[in-house]
Amino acid sequence: MKTYIFDPISDQALEYAQKNLDIVTWDSDKIRSYAEAEAVIVRTFKMSPEIIDQMPKLKIIAKHGVGVDNIDIPYAKNKNIVVTNTPEANMNSVAELAIGLVFSCVRKITQSHLAALDGLEKNSPMYLSGYELAGKTLGLIGLGKIGMSVGKKLRDAFAVNVIVYDPFTAAEQCSSLGFVKVATLEELCRTSDIISVSVPLTEKTKNMISAQELSWMKETAVLVNTSRGGIVSEDDLYEALKSNKLFGAALDVFVEEPIKIDHPLLTCDNFIATPHNGANTADALIRMGIGAVDEIVRVKNGDEAHSRL
Ligand code: NAD
């Protein structure tokens, strides 16, 4: 099956694709003319109606990763094109990064590193002082695969209490994990010491953390978003951090990626940016690449795709 791979994938996944499919890779000149594509693998490449229309033979769009906001799914489905993703492949990597960012914020690890590089002469009592996690309240916005993994790991390893805001998750599911479901985003924001956001980008979640929600948060709270840019308002977060209305924040995802060097958030010393690194581990890259190829092989063999959206 003629498969166009628009974004780089791991060597192991590429080798696997070469064995099983007829591939055109991101670095080939052929990738610029789409007419022969029967299958595509995309990471961030935008599958808009205009691009889809240039692929009359297309049978499957296989997303390498989870978030499918770069694919016009209704348009593809209307044309009987199967759309798949790799829902389980990167959740552990993203969860581990979210936890790393929590620690970077509460213990000011990045700030401490920069201070050390700068020749720190005196670590006066309050300077670079952070806080422990034990006994604190972790608020999860979204209890899907990543949110659940963050919650379980921090609960088991660091004895945090976990509360959840997710209108689509039953209270019983939360309590079976030892978590408590709260009814409103306001309650979550007011109660949490650490807030981790793991929701998809939709019309409803766009700017769901803006000035109002930030104003509900404790001044000692930290906010981490590893889901998608635009869910946390960057302008409002800047205002909150600049005026120390929040202890710290870390974003892995931005409205415009990669983040520009003159972005106002980068002037805040209580802010940490990572360049959409959530799934960027060797382990997850292999799983995502092989998972995407497997879905195409299934469609090629006339089998049902496993993660059809
Ligand atoms: P998931 O689909 O398993 O879970 C999403 C959860 O969000 C669900 O439980 C859903 O009920 C909840 N939700 C939806 N709308 C909500 C709302 N308005 N308020 C509260 N909760 C809401 O997804 P996941 O695997 O946990 O991934 C979450 C997101 O993380 C993905 O959509 C993707 O955009 C992002 N992601 C980022 C990276 C990265 O590299 N940083 C990697 C993978 C995924």
Side-chain angles (χ1 to χ4, degrees):
M1 186 175 240
K2 196 86 180 163
T3 301
Y4 281 46
I5 307 177
F6 281 103
D7 304 293
I9 62 174
S10 72
D11 291 347
Q12 290 88 338
L14 189 59
E15 202 178 304
Y16 186 58
Q18 274 157 346
K19 278 196 191 128
N20 290 283
L21 302 164
D22 176 10
I23 62 168
V24 175
T25 54
W26 58 92
D27 51 0
S28 153
D29 280 346
K30 287 194 192 141
I31 200 92
R32 280 181 268 283
S33 58
Y34 308 132
E36 294 307 310
E38 296 172 280
V40 297
I41 295 178
V42 292
R43 291 174 68 178
T44 54
F45 186 86
K46 211 166 163 44
M47 291 301 288
S48 61
E50 296 71 39
I51 296 285
I52 293 172
D53 281 346
Q54 292 175 49
M55 301 178 180
K57 300 179 183 171
L58 192 61
K59 293 189 181 63
I60 169 169
I61 301 171
K63 166 80 185 196
H64 175 291
V66 181
V68 283
D69 38 279
N70 57 324
I71 303 169
D72 193 324
I73 297 179
Y75 194 80
K77 280 187 169 172
N78 214 18
K79 295 197 138 199
N80 286 323
I81 298 166
V82 174
V83 182
T84 62
N85 67 351
T86 54
E88 312 271 312
N90 59 19
M91 64 177 190
N92 194 54
S93 292
V94 183
E96 288 183 4
L97 180 73
I99 290 167
L101 292 175
V102 167
F103 276 102
S104 286
C105 288
V106 298
R107 298 305 304 270
K108 300 191 176 182
I109 295 173
T110 308
Q111 225 176 315
S112 301
H113 172 73
L114 292 174
L117 285 182
D118 224 24
L120 178 73
E121 283 175 7
K122 190 171 163 213
N123 197 1
S124 50
M126 299 310 289
Y127 183 51
L128 298 175
S129 149
Y131 60 83
E132 293 180 1
L133 287 194
K136 302 289 192 310
T137 297
L138 165 71
L140 298 173
I141 301 181
L143 190 71
K145 291 174 287 302
I146 294 170
M148 199 179 294
S149 180
V150 170
K152 282 185 190 169
K153 288 177 201 294
L154 283 176
R155 175 202 64 193
D156 292 347
F158 296 98
V160 298
N161 307 308
V162 184
I163 63 173
V164 175
Y165 173 73
D166 186 332
F168 309 103
T169 298
E172 296 71 41
Q173 194 190 346
C174 294
S175 50
S176 71
L177 295 161
F179 303 167
V180 174
K181 177 171 169 154
V182 295
T184 63
L185 187 52
E186 179 172 357
E187 188 180 348
L188 182 130
C189 292
R190 288 194 188 282
T191 316
S192 302
D193 300 296
I194 309 126
I195 296 175
S196 179
V197 185
S198 309
V199 296
L201 177 63
T202 64
E203 276 314 309
K204 286 230 167 73
T205 61
K206 201 171 175 183
N207 288 323
M208 81 185 284
I209 306 293
S210 294
Q212 168 89 94
E213 292 72 26
L214 290 161
S215 76
W216 291 330
M217 293 177 195
K218 300 178 185 180
E219 290 195 357
T220 50
V222 305
L223 171 69
V224 170
N225 179 21
T226 55
S227 51
R228 277 291 179 269
I231 292 168
V232 175
S233 159
E234 292 171 10
D235 292 345
D236 294 348
L237 180 63
Y238 168 70
E239 292 301 327
L241 288 171
K242 190 180 64 167
S243 51
N244 289 314
K245 292 275 186 287
L246 212 55
F247 188 77
L251 301 183
D252 184 46
V253 283
F254 298 87
V255 173
E256 198 184 332
E257 294 180 357
I259 184 172
K260 294 268 182 302
I261 190 79
D262 60 353
H263 195 297
L265 278 170
L266 295 180
T267 63
C268 299
D269 65 2
N270 47 0
F271 175 72
I272 296 163
T274 48
H276 206 139
N277 251 355
N280 189 10
T281 61
D283 316 81
L285 286 166
I286 293 170
R287 286 193 296 264
M288 287 186 286
I290 288 179
V293 173
D294 275 339
E295 292 291 37
I296 296 174
V297 170
R298 282 183 195 106
V299 168
K300 176 180 137 186
N301 294 339
D303 297 331
E304 194 61 34
H306 280 181
S307 61
R308 190 174 180 154
L309 296 163

